[in-house]
Every structure is written in structure tokens, then in C-alpha cells.
Amino acid sequence: MDLMGSAVPQPFHFHWDLWDPVPLSSSRLDTHLSKSSPHQLLSASATFSATSSAYGFFSAPPSRIYVAQLATQGKLLLWGAKINSLIDKGQIWRLATSSLLHANIGHLMVNCYSLNSIGPTVENISGPRRFLAVYFSSAISSAVTSYWFCKAAAVGASGAIFGLVGSVAVFVMRHGGMIRDAKEDLQHIAQVIFLNMVFGLMSKGIDNWGHLGGLLGGAAMSWLLGPAWKCESMASDGRRIFSDRAPLFYLTDRKQKPR
């Protein structure tokens, strides 16, 4: 059985050149600009509270599901793993459940560490609903890509985790002018992806197709959903007014406008 196991070596940290923004609504944002003393907005630190977050929702269930796998003596694993021949027979749910299962305790620990490294950052920059959308879409795109290009059975959450990495990459590329050391951040992300792909090629039982599918799925969903902050105007008191110009908002606004 192939594993989908990733290793994000350290938490992602990057800083905005703006004061901490205060949301005005779901799609608008009002910020105070300070070029002389920039304040940190985003940081995947240990102080992040995951107890009431979407990331927190995913930080505990994998271990509980793994306990259930052990309790059922592998029956749960066989029921939910990505097995192409059974998917061909109509067991489509395996494209979703395979990302919730793990082959062994080491596989589980690696993915929990990776999720802890990248999860808080993605939720901080995207919010819980976008986080869930990116995570689930990445998991599905990972399993679908693996189904098409990898015949071996596979389980693991790393396809979804790769999607979170892709989401951060899209965010940094979109907001390079607002993030200090954006080039270095992108280089770090590229290094993470490259090292994991090389490790997958050199190791037996690693599903690189699943990793690639999750990465592309997460990047695509993040591009569609945003956030994509754009400066609209300057207020009389010197504050910059930002709006979220994610493509999804543009598409929905067009549909709502009368013709």
C-alpha cells in the first residue's frame, strides 16, 4: 500500500508591511499603514489557539481514526483506502475517506507534524471556511490524481497537506508587495515541495501522484476562493481601504447583477 506522507520541516512565518488589519465585512478590510514600524500580522506560532478553529477540528481526529483502525483490526482501513479496482465498482467514497486513514503510527505522526506546521498559517490568512474548502478539495484532487496515475492502494492526509502548502504559495505570490521577504518565503515553499518530491521518488511506497494532485488542487482552490486583497482607496485619515477581489466573488457578483 502506498503512503501519502509529507514532511514540512518547520512552520511558515511571514510578515506584512501593514498594521494588523481589522475586518469590516466578509469582503472588506480597513488597515492602518505604517512604513516606519511594520507590525506582524501572520505567524504560525505555538500561541495560535486551535481549540476553536477549523485547523483544530483536524488536529485531533486523525489519531482517533487510527485508534478505530486498530480496534477494527484493519477493517476500517480496507473499507476506506483508495483501491482502484473497488472504486471502479462504484465505491466512490474511497476518494474522500482515504485521506482520513493512515498505514501505521509513523505515517500518522509525520502527517500530524506537517499539519501542525502549515495548518495554523493557512487558517490565519484564509479563515476557517476557506481552510476547510482548500483542505477538502485538496484531499479529493489528491485521491483522484492518484486514482488516474497510480495503480497501488493508498491512504494518508499528505495530499491535503500539500494542498495547504499550495494555498500559502498562492497567497504569497498574490500579496508579494505586502509581505516582507516574499521571495525568500516562496523559495522556502519551493524547497519543501522539491525535497518531498525527491524523497518520494527515492522511497518505495510513496504516492507522489497524490502529493502533486493535492498541491495543484489546493493552489487552484486558493486562487479561486482567495483571499486576494487589493487596495481600493485611501481614507481621509491616511488609512488604506482594502477589498477582497477573489475570482469567486467576481463571478458571483456578475451573476447577481441584472442584465
Side-chain angles (χ1 to χ4, degrees), residues 4 37 39 49 53 55 57 66 68 72 109 113 146 164 172 184 229:
M4 286 190 279
S37 59
H39 281 52
S49 176
S53 66
Y55 157 73
F57 174 78
Y66 186 72
T72 59
M109 291 298 100
Y113 172 79
S146 177
L164 299 181
V172 174
E184 287 76 8
W229 298 112

Side-chain angles (χ1 to χ4, degrees), residues 65-160:
I65 293 174
Y66 186 72
V67 171
Q69 288 180 217
L70 298 178
T72 59
Q73 298 181 342
K75 293 180 181 178
L76 181 61
L77 183 66
L78 293 176
W79 174 83
K82 189 226 75 174
I83 302 175
N84 288 10
S85 60
L86 296 179
I87 294 175
D88 291 338
K89 293 180 180 179
Q91 298 184 14
I92 305 297
W93 68 80
R94 294 175 179 273
L95 296 175
T97 56
S98 60
S99 66
L100 303 175
L101 305 171
H102 291 84
N104 53 57
I105 189 65
H107 186 206
L108 173 65
M109 291 298 100
V110 168
N111 279 344
C112 284
Y113 172 79
S114 299
L115 180 59
N116 184 64
S117 295
I118 189 68
T121 296
V122 176
E123 185 167 7
N124 266 336
I125 63 180
S126 302
R129 289 183 293 181
R130 283 168 167 158
F131 175 94
L132 292 173
V134 170
Y135 189 92
F136 279 123
S137 61
S138 300
I140 297 297
S141 63
S142 169
V144 170
T145 305
S146 177
Y147 168 75
W148 280 110
F149 297 104
C150 180
K151 295 181 179 180
V155 293
S158 62

